[in-house]
Amino acid sequence: MDRKTGKAFTLSNNALSGNAPRSIGNNILVDRNAQIEKLTKESKALKQKVDQLEKENNNLKKSIYDLSVRYAATLQQGSAAQAYRPGAFAVDPDDLSSDLATRTHKVITQAVQEVQNESADDYGKSYRDKSTEGLEFEMKYEFKGHFGAVYSVRYSRNGKLLVSGSFDKTVRIWDAMTTQKEIGCLKGHNLNIADVSWSLDNARLVSGSYDQTCKVWDIESGRLLSSWDTNGFVQCVGWDATENHTFFYGTSRCVLGMTDLRVPAAQTPSPTSSSYADGMGIRIPTLPYGLGDDESSSTSFALTNDHMINSLYVNRDGIHVTTGDGGGWLKVWDIRNRQCVQQVLNDLSQKPISHITVGGRHGAAAAREGDEARYLAANSYDNVIKVYDRGPNPPQSEARLVHVLKGFKGRNWPIKSSFYRGAEYQSYFSKQSSATRDPYYGDGDKPTLDDDMSGLEIHRVQEASALLATGSADPYAYIFGVGQDSSKLLQRLDGHTDRVYAVDFHPSEPLLATCSADFTVKIWGPAQNRSKARS
């Protein structure tokens, strides 16, 4: 045998027998450890970059929000910069170049969509639960016409018309039931519209704006009837539930005001720091009645709270007004005595309340004149809605927290919600039975409660359950089922392309209006496959 061949054979046998030189194995081990260490460093570097980007996005969103606060503060003439939380961003498009406005809108939208604690994708294309089949809503049509984000939307009390208020400084009126078209555009405000409200007879409309005015409009003619100056940006408005000549408003300067249209605008009082009476720790100005000494007479006045008034609800008794404020307090005010008579802290961290809503009354419950719905929902500047049971005799009875709803996004954004209590949507909590035809269901049938149920039984079912819809900082609206002992997320409505600021249910039909930063208003109704789902 050749020595070279023998040597090679010997080396080959050594290799096959696992007796390769130790140095080769050590080199392989060193290379593998080096690769693992390199991958570990790269992984840590990527994680640090992700954390840094998330932090930058959070800081960017916070900076945008803080800038909006400072911008709002500079708009108040002759006032020192005040630390308060605004409702919507008070940015006037006319003060910005088109390029800057476009880039600002993109930055805000990206910040909102990217910096959220939960991922909207977790809910899938459209959230549905098989246990709630038959409750689905789908988009029916949409209204286009605004040139800015739409911040407020309200059905008229008779449900025939819909009004929307926008950052484009206009109020638009839509035919909600027949033509589904715009029938009027009301112009007169100088800054974005914060809220709108219908009069009791649906003949007039009040709009509140960041231009520090409330304006009253005639619906038939579209004419501006009167304009009322306020102390601070108007955050919310609400018409009196018992008469057509009085409306209420809340402002960024902590004012809860009532305006009597029978009193000339020049005589409308404003809160002063020279004459205050204490009531439950809240400063309340002592003001003259103006229309005589009878305390039952209506007049204009202004009460001063210790936080900005973000939302209000005028009780059906015409005596009490419930407010949600920037300090996280729910308060009930007695209009006759001009003082706060009840207050509940919504959150221990005192997150500002962005909106409050109280369930409407429909069906058998509507026959009970003057009744108040029991549920009150409070949106706050976090990702939570708290639902309160107001007791059998609100607001005299004490409110009790019964549900905490999660699943939508509302952190640092002024999101609004709305209740619907129609009998045809009680299937999640109660039994279903015979049906009647209804044009809003397409080819399907409209479900009702059992025909043999008494009026009292129907009323009890309606008092015990409701649907609650809310906007969200993502491009969706969410619908929750709220019962006496349970609650759950029923559906996510997919159709808008930017955050949904506000929602409002039709007063008697299962129709939901949503408005968005995508400049549109959309109308949602029962899905046409509901009858198939029920069968």
Side-chain angles (χ1 to χ4, degrees):
M1 181 185 306
D2 189 89
R3 290 184 178 181
K4 292 182 179 180
T5 304
K7 185 177 182 181
F9 182 79
T10 303
L11 290 173
S12 178
N13 274 338
N14 288 337
L16 291 173
S17 63
N19 296 322
R22 185 173 300 177
S23 60
I24 297 177
N26 290 340
N27 290 335
I28 295 174
L29 182 61
V30 169
D31 290 342
R32 185 173 61 183
N33 290 340
Q35 290 177 358
I36 293 174
E37 184 177 357
K38 181 179 179 181
L39 290 173
T40 302
K41 288 182 178 179
E42 291 178 354
S43 177
K44 289 182 178 179
L46 287 174
K47 185 178 183 304
Q48 290 175 355
K49 190 168 184 61
V50 170
D51 292 340
Q52 181 182 0
L53 289 174
E54 289 182 351
K55 184 177 180 181
E56 289 176 357
N57 281 331
N58 275 295
N59 291 336
L60 176 60
K61 182 181 175 184
K62 184 178 184 301
S63 297
I64 293 171
Y65 187 72
D66 291 342
L67 283 173
S68 71
V69 175
R70 290 197 291 271
Y71 176 81
T74 60
L75 294 178
Q76 301 197 44
Q77 299 179 356
S79 65
Q82 298 185 18
Y84 66 89
R85 303 175 179 91
F89 290 147
V91 177
D92 187 351
D94 291 343
D95 292 338
L96 301 172
S97 68
S98 58
D99 180 60
L100 179 58
T102 301
R103 285 189 287 111
T104 301
H105 182 270
K106 288 182 178 179
V107 169
I108 294 175
T109 301
Q110 183 179 1
V112 173
Q113 292 177 348
E114 292 183 358
V115 189
Q116 296 294 341
N117 293 332
E118 304 87 14
S119 172
D121 295 336
D122 293 341
Y123 296 102
K125 177 69 176 176
S126 180
Y127 182 97
R128 284 195 177 95
D129 189 321
K130 290 184 178 180
S131 66
T132 60
E133 289 290 346
L135 291 176
E136 294 87 356
F137 280 72
E138 65 181 11
M139 190 176 70
K140 298 299 184 180
Y141 46 88
E142 68 177 358
F143 295 137
K144 293 183 177 180
H146 281 294
F147 296 97
V150 188
Y151 184 63
S152 181
V153 62
R154 291 281 183 92
Y155 275 105
S156 60
R157 296 177 189 257
N158 59 16
K160 295 181 179 180
L161 300 176
L162 185 74
V163 62
S164 57
S166 170
F167 282 27
D168 65 9
K169 301 177 275 189
T170 67
V171 175
R172 296 177 189 262
I173 303 173
W174 316 84
D175 184 334
M177 302 301 289
T178 54
T179 65
Q180 290 88 42
K181 293 182 179 180
E182 179 182 325
I183 60 175
C185 179
L186 309 179
K187 299 180 180 180
H189 285 290
N190 297 321
L191 283 174
N192 49 281
I193 311 300
D195 200 9
V196 289
S197 181
W198 292 89
S199 65
L200 193 62
D201 59 4
N202 301 293
R204 286 178 288 182
L205 182 75
V206 59
S207 57
S209 169
Y210 268 39
D211 63 9
Q212 304 187 55
T213 68
C214 291
K215 299 186 186 298
V216 178
W217 311 83
D218 178 74
I219 299 302
E220 184 175 359
S221 65
R223 184 169 60 93
L224 176 63
L225 298 178
S226 58
S227 182
W228 305 79
D229 293 335
T230 65
N231 186 10
F233 302 148
V234 180
Q235 300 290 80
C236 51
V237 292
W239 213 283
D240 194 299
T242 61
E243 53 191 12
N244 286 305
H245 55 74
T246 304
F247 69 84
F248 297 83
Y249 62 89
T251 79
S252 60
R253 288 191 173 177
C254 312
V255 172
L256 170 62
M258 186 187 88
T259 297
D260 190 325
L261 299 178
R262 299 171 298 182
V263 179
Q267 298 182 20
T268 303
S270 60
T272 64
S273 59
S274 59
S275 179
Y276 285 100
D278 291 331
M280 297 186 68
I282 300 166
R283 298 181 302 160
I284 300 172
T286 304
L287 298 169
Y289 277 88
L291 288 180
D293 295 330
D294 182 5
E295 293 190 4
S296 63
S297 300
S298 296
T299 186
S300 300
F301 65 84
L303 310 179
T304 302
N305 188 29
D306 47 5
H307 297 281
M308 66 186 295
I309 306 294
N310 289 331
S311 183
L312 64 83
Y313 166 74
V314 184
N315 290 54
R316 295 180 60 85
D317 60 10
I319 299 173
H320 297 92
V321 174
T322 304
T323 61
D325 65 32
W329 288 93
L330 292 167
K331 295 177 182 178
V332 179
W333 303 80
D334 188 320
I335 301 305
R336 298 168 302 179
N337 300 323
R338 319 283 175 90
Q339 64 180 356
C340 177
V341 295
Q342 185 182 117
Q343 56 183 358
V344 175
L345 183 59
N346 184 60
D347 184 78
L348 293 178
S349 63
Q350 293 191 305
K351 290 282 187 182
I353 295 173
S354 61
H355 186 252
I356 60 173
T357 182
V358 172
R361 301 181 305 113
H362 305 286
R368 300 175 54 167
E369 191 62 33
D371 277 5
E372 282 284 345
R374 292 187 61 159
Y375 289 132
L376 180 147
N379 291 66
S380 54
Y381 278 66
D382 52 19
N383 300 325
V384 172
I385 297 177
K386 292 188 177 180
V387 180
Y388 294 85
D389 184 342
R390 305 165 72 206
N393 188 30
Q396 284 78 18
S397 51
E398 186 175 352
R400 177 176 59 91
L401 179 64
V402 290
H403 299 298
V404 177
L405 307 180
K406 299 180 180 180
F408 72 106
K409 296 175 176 60
R411 189 180 304 278
N412 295 333
W413 290 94
I415 302 301
K416 301 178 182 180
S417 57
S418 176
F419 272 111
Y420 178 70
R421 304 178 64 84
E424 62 271 23
Y425 269 82
Q426 306 300 328
S427 57
Y428 171 54
F429 302 98
S430 60
K431 50 188 175 180
Q432 302 176 355
S433 65
S434 59
T436 57
R437 294 287 297 176
D438 188 278
Y440 299 107
Y441 286 77
D443 297 331
D445 291 325
K446 176 180 179 180
T448 63
L449 296 177
D450 287 349
D451 294 334
D452 58 355
M453 292 180 68
S454 67
L456 180 59
E457 288 174 325
I458 294 175
H459 174 70
R460 285 173 176 170
V461 169
Q462 291 176 335
E463 281 294 312
S465 59
L467 292 182
L468 177 66
T470 182
S472 181
D474 56 24
Y476 309 104
Y478 295 81
I479 298 179
F480 294 86
V482 179
Q484 188 171 6
D485 301 314
S486 62
S487 62
K488 69 185 302 183
L489 176 61
L490 301 179
Q491 187 181 358
R492 190 190 75 179
L493 303 182
D494 186 354
H496 285 289
T497 58
D498 209 331
R499 54 195 167 277
V500 179
Y501 278 123
V503 300
D504 192 47
F505 272 114
H506 189 279
S508 59
E509 299 293 340
L511 296 172
L512 177 68
T514 60
C515 64
S516 169
D518 64 9
F519 302 3
T520 69
V521 175
K522 298 185 187 298
I523 306 299
W524 310 76
Q528 294 188 11
N529 62 352
R530 291 188 59 194
S531 58
K532 296 179 182 180
R534 290 196 309 275
S535 62

